[in-house]
């Protein structure tokens, strides 16, 4: 090795540079994470909505400990991606905002959970 060549540690078991996937290797599990879904508040919103058929804004705000503005912005992102449906109406004379997860939202959440499981399995193999 000369002064100009960077040191590239190798994985002794397979003799290839560390951290470099070969063309036959599957992508790292983190490549399956969806930036829209994976964000903490949005993942929480989808997870809660998957547990219940629909939830009102106040319930989501309380259970996820978000501010009105923060929750509203995350709902906009999810609705804009087709993952939730937001329905505004009234309960008596009080305005209410109800949120439901869409079929696409359930699918996106399932894919996210699969990617997290794959990442966890890979992590557990190294510990």
């Amino acid at each position: 090795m000369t002064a100009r060549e960077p040191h590239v540690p190798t994985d002794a078991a397979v003799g290839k540079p560390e951290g470099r996937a070969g063309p036959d290797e599957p992508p790292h599990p983190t490549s399956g994470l969806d930036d829209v879904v994976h964000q903490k508040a949005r993942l929480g919103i989808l997870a809660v909505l998957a547990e219940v058929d629909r939830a009102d804004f106040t319930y989501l705000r309380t259970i996820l400990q978000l501010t009105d503005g923060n929750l509203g912005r995350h709902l906009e992102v999810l609705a804009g991606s087709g993952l939730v449906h937001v329905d505004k109406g009234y309960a008596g004379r009080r305005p209410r905002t109800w949120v439901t997860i869409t079929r696409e939202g359930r699918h996106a959440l399932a894919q996210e959970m699969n990617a997290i499981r794959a990442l966890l399995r890979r992590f557990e193999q190294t510990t």
Side-chain angles (χ1 to χ4, degrees):
M1 180 168 84
T2 68
R4 290 184 176 162
E5 295 177 47
H7 173 67
V8 179
T10 59
D11 181 342
V14 291
K16 66 179 180 200
E18 287 180 2
R20 295 196 183 156
D24 298 333
E25 290 186 51
H28 193 272
T30 55
S31 66
L33 297 174
D34 181 328
D35 289 337
V36 171
V37 176
H38 192 72
Q39 195 284 336
K40 178 182 170 182
R42 293 191 290 264
L43 182 59
I45 292 165
L46 291 173
V48 169
L49 293 175
E51 296 169 1
V52 298
D53 286 333
R54 73 179 188 163
D56 74 347
F57 188 93
T58 304
Y59 176 75
L60 290 170
R61 183 191 65 208
T62 302
I63 197 165
L64 296 172
Q65 300 178 345
L66 298 171
T67 64
D68 286 357
N70 200 348
L71 176 57
R73 179 64 187 126
H74 288 299
L75 289 175
E76 286 176 12
V77 170
L78 291 169
S81 296
L83 304 181
V84 301
H85 176 72
V86 178
D87 185 34
K88 296 183 182 245
Y90 287 87
R93 292 200 274 186
R94 299 183 74 189
R96 296 288 286 271
T97 300
W98 294 97
V99 186
T100 55
I101 190 168
T102 63
R103 181 178 300 132
E104 293 83 7
R106 286 186 188 280
H107 180 72
L109 180 61
Q111 285 185 281
E112 191 72 13
M113 291 298 139
N114 287 337
I116 291 170
R117 278 187 210 95
L119 183 59
L120 182 59
R121 281 191 301 273
R122 185 170 173 140
F123 174 76
E124 288 173 341
Q125 290 173 354
T126 62
T127 56

